[in-house]
Every structure is written in C-alpha cells, then in structure tokens.
Amino acid sequence: MACFRQALAASVAGVLLLVAGCSDGGSARTGADGKIRIRFQSLAWQKESVDANKALVAEWNAAHPDIQVQYVQGSWNSVHDQLLTSFEGGEAPDVIHDASDDLADFAYGGYLADLRPLLSDRLTSDIPAGSWESTTVAGGVYGVPFLQEPRVLMANTGLLRASGVRIPTPEAPWSWAEFRAAAKQLTAEGRYGVAWPLKDPVSATLNLGLSAGGRLFVREPGGKAEIRWAEGDAVVPETIRAQVDTDHSASRATLGMGGSDTLPGFFGGKYAMVPLGFSYRQQIVRQAPPGFAWQVLPPPAGADGTAQGVSPQTLSIARDSPYKKEAAAFIDFLLRPANMVRLARGDWMLPTGTQALADPALRTPELGWATGAALAGRLRPAPAQSVRGYPEWKDKVATPAFQEFYSGAIGLDELEERLVRDGNRVLARYQR
C-alpha cells in the first residue's frame, strides 16, 4: 500500500485545481455553453442520505460553474445488471456508487478506471490500507471505499437488565460461547433470546466468521483463490444452528427473513436481541413505539477478537468516461472529512476516513455511535473481496447450502463439502 500511495502522490499534482480544459479528451457531454457535465449515479435511498448527496452535488455545482454534476438515482436492488447493461451500451455514468464486493467482475471486464493516477494524496492517505484492499483488484484500485457498516447486536435494554446477563462492551465483548449462554438466559416463555434474520446467510456468516479465524477463501501465490474449510469457519454456523435446534434460544421463523422483518417482533418483546447492520438504527428510531428502550452491543468475539468483514460502499469512475480527472476531483470533494461525516450520518454508517471517523458527532454514546466507532479499527475486507466468480458461488452454491444447514436439512460435513467442492468448481471456471 505504501508503494500505491507513493505512486499516487507522484501523479495527482493539480487534480484538485481542475478547469474545463483538463479532461481526458472527448466532448460527448460538453454542452453548447462549454460546460462539462458529469453524471453521478448514487444508490442512496434513505431520505437523509439522498438529501445529503443532493446537497453536496448542489454545493459542488455552485462552486464549479464549468464542471456540472448531474445526480442520477440508482437502486441497490438492480445495480449490478443495470451497470453491466450501461457499460456494454456505452452509457455508463462517470461516477459510480456501488459496493466493493461488486467491483471485481467489472474491474476484470475492463469497465472501470484504475484510480491510482487520479486520486489525491490527501484522500488516499486518509483511508486506511485495509479499506483500500477491498477495492484492489489484480494490482489496480477500482473504487474509493467511503462508508462501512459493521454488524452489531441490537438489544432490548429492559430485558437485558432483567436477565442479569453481563452487558458486553467493545473493550470486553462476549465470546461466542458467552453469547450463546446469554441468548439462553434471555429466552423465556413467548420470547427468544435472539432472532437471526438470514435471508442472505452468506455475508452474515462469512463476515462474522472472521472473528473466529474463519476465512474460507485463500489466495494462492499466483493470485488464484481457493476455498478451504478450517476450524474457525465452523464457529458461527455451529453457534447459530445450536441456538435454533439445541437451545431453542433463536427463532427458526426468522431464518428466512430480512432484517426489517424482525423489527416488529423486536419491538414487541418477542426477540431480546437481533444481529443487524449498524444502519438499522435509523429504522429502529423511526419505527420503535414510544418508550421502547434499546441499545447497541458489539458482536461476539473469537480468536481474532471482534474482527469482522465488511464490504464498503464505493465510488468508482467508468473507464470510458471522457472526464476522469474531473470525476476524480468531484469524488475528492464529496469525501472531504466534513462531507464524509455528512454522508455517514445520512446513511447511519461509519466513514472509512480516519479524520471523519474522529469527528465528535460519530463518537457520542447516543444511538450507539460510540460503539460502532469503537469497532471501526477491527473491520476487515470481507473474505471474498475481489474473488472472480464469487457472485455465482454465493447465489448457486453458498446460499442454498447455508439455508439448508440452518434449517436442519443437512449437517456440518455436508455444508463443508458443498461449499468447498462445488465452490471450487465455480471458481475454477473464472480463473483459467
């Protein structure tokens, strides 16, 4: 990463002092008035987030009359297919909002610009090397990681206090064994200690598995990825399965649910705890009944502490954009520390930038911000970042295998065999 930053430092002089004449050439979107027009496709969907993005676009446009940014609304539900169609049709937006685990195929396909010669040293040095690893593919950097979301435990404060369980903190989290015991202690007639919303079981299992030393994906010296099962990979799935089948402290009914689906039961006292992404705090604030007391707890810790994988939200530049330098300057503006804080608060997530993360607004105990910020230093790139074929493996192999395991249809040995045997067959087709 040091070499990457040195290369960037040598190549970015003047990037932030752009004028209309410093584009890569091409004038497809230069109007009759001589103004450059850049399209920025955002996937912001919560009102606060959309408002923050649109406000920043307006501020840029007011300060840069000759380089105007057009805000384009995209959707997380269809972004991969929509981008692929726009790339192949030559209509891709200049600045692309996506997630790091969606970049590998686009990068290998030649659709995204390598950002190393485009980004400012201020930006590259402010974001930790671990975050940059999530957007590094085959030696190139194809996205700026700017927002990240740890998985935490949303807990009913009244039930926690009444149960007598030890309240975990980021400095003294529960172990996975303690978490299992706490869920049992919180279970009572008509109430489960925990609800696992596992409609998407793969990311939750793999990302939390890092805490126990699980990785599943291993890089060979030549750069190829291989799936290997180790002892740490079993900790999270075995815990969840035991809570559902043995302890009966976890609800079987929530295994096919999304996170939002569990909130009514959480508010009604049916579930004492729910593992959810950090941004779900916004839904809790908006939807919880008056007087409902809740708090944010850190996730369980394993051999590697509270480490967990994340797939940061990213900003990329289309390789075919005629205005790469201008697009990079806009990204730099969007991700200035104060602006990154605005984006993080709008999405109820954590910024990747160290200066933004130090902002007092993100360190307050109120609404669990301090707990999330304390976890930031333990966040790692999700295990399958930049692995070619991961989307197919996830959809066709891992998702059905985990769903069958958690439902009790198959055992741990069968889960391992399918993930490894069938998974490596999928990866082999992409890595010939």
Side-chain angles (χ1 to χ4, degrees):
M1 198 62 196
C3 294
F4 163 57
R5 285 177 175 160
Q6 290 170 4
L8 281 168
S11 63
V12 297
V15 168
L16 299 180
L17 300 175
L18 296 172
V19 293
C22 67
S23 71
D24 289 345
S27 56
R29 287 190 299 280
T30 302
D33 54 5
K35 294 181 179 180
I36 290 173
R37 288 175 172 81
I38 297 170
R39 287 179 293 167
F40 164 42
Q41 179 170 295
S42 170
L43 301 181
W45 63 276
Q46 300 184 96
K47 183 181 185 303
E48 293 168 77
S49 180
V50 172
D51 289 347
N53 277 272
K54 288 185 175 181
L56 288 169
V57 168
E59 291 171 22
W60 165 275
N61 287 339
H64 301 82
D66 294 331
I67 307 172
Q68 294 290 285
V69 173
Q70 176 190 359
Y71 180 93
V72 179
Q73 186 64 60
S75 169
W76 285 108
N77 294 330
S78 59
V79 63
H80 184 88
D81 292 342
Q82 179 266 320
L83 284 175
L84 185 60
T85 300
S86 67
F87 284 134
E88 293 179 344
E91 296 294 332
D94 302 275
V95 178
I96 299 163
H97 182 190
D98 203 354
S100 59
D101 60 358
D102 195 37
L103 298 185
D105 288 347
F106 292 143
Y108 281 115
Y111 297 122
L112 299 177
D114 185 348
L115 300 180
R116 288 176 297 173
L118 296 169
L119 301 178
S120 70
D121 185 54
R122 178 206 66 77
L123 183 57
T124 56
S125 61
D126 185 49
I127 296 174
S131 294
W132 285 114
E133 288 175 14
S134 69
T135 59
T136 299
V137 179
V141 175
Y142 295 95
V144 182
F146 71 107
L147 292 180
Q148 53 193 349
E149 181 175 23
R151 197 173 297 265
V152 295
L153 297 174
M154 306 298 183
N156 182 312
T157 300
L159 296 179
L160 274 181
R161 292 174 177 170
S163 72
V165 299
R166 180 181 72 83
I167 308 299
T169 65
E171 298 74 29
W174 284 328
S175 67
W176 280 98
E178 286 179 297
F179 169 60
R180 180 179 171 184
K184 288 178 66 176
Q185 195 167 336
L186 284 160
T187 299
E189 184 68 29
R191 183 177 74 234
Y192 292 98
V194 63
W196 282 97
L198 292 178
K199 185 177 182 179
D200 178 9
V202 181
S203 60
T205 306
L206 267 59
N207 288 340
L208 289 173
L210 288 185
S211 67
R215 283 211 59 86
L216 206 60
F217 289 85
V218 178
R219 288 283 186 180
E220 299 289 347
K224 290 186 176 181
E226 184 179 41
I227 300 172
R228 298 177 191 169
W229 183 271
E231 184 178 354
D233 293 305
V235 171
V236 173
E238 282 190 315
T239 299
I240 297 173
R241 174 75 171 262
Q243 289 176 324
V244 173
D245 278 352
T246 305
D247 304 339
H248 304 292
S249 61
S251 169
R252 185 181 299 276
T254 66
L255 294 178
M257 292 183 180
S260 298
D261 300 326
T262 63
L263 293 182
F266 179 55
F267 299 147
K270 187 175 181 179
Y271 318 124
M273 298 183 293
V274 186
L276 292 171
F278 196 53
S279 66
Y280 275 88
R281 296 171 302 134
Q282 185 196 48
Q283 290 189 47
I284 294 174
V285 168
R286 289 186 172 182
Q287 299 174 16
F292 180 76
W294 60 282
Q295 63 192 98
V296 177
L297 306 179
D304 287 347
T306 53
Q308 65 171 290
V310 292
S311 297
Q313 293 187 22
T314 57
L315 294 173
S316 301
I317 298 174
R319 192 185 70 170
D320 290 343
S321 170
Y323 305 121
K324 295 183 184 67
K325 293 181 181 180
E326 292 86 348
F330 171 66
I331 290 175
D332 191 271
F333 163 80
L334 208 61
L335 302 184
R336 289 174 183 173
N339 293 345
M340 198 181 285
V341 171
R342 292 166 65 182
L343 294 173
R345 287 181 62 83
D347 252 325
W348 290 65
M349 292 188 181
L350 298 176
T352 58
T354 54
Q355 293 185 62
L357 192 61
D359 192 287
L362 304 181
R363 296 281 174 171
T364 175
E366 185 181 3
L367 301 177
W369 280 108
T371 298
L375 298 172
R378 301 294 295 159
L379 300 182
R380 304 286 182 265
Q385 295 291 303
S386 76
V387 174
R388 298 196 71 182
Y390 169 74
E392 181 179 341
W393 173 81
K394 177 183 177 181
D395 292 342
K396 296 182 179 180
V397 177
T399 295
F402 276 118
Q403 287 174 337
E404 290 180 45
F405 174 76
Y406 288 134
S407 70
I410 63 174
L412 190 66
D413 290 342
E414 175 69 13
L415 174 67
E416 174 187 348
E417 182 177 359
R418 287 170 59 174
L419 293 177
V420 176
R421 179 197 64 201
D422 298 346
N424 281 324
R425 288 174 181 169
V426 171
L427 298 191
R429 294 203 307 271
Y430 288 84
Q431 300 182 119
R432 291 170 181 166

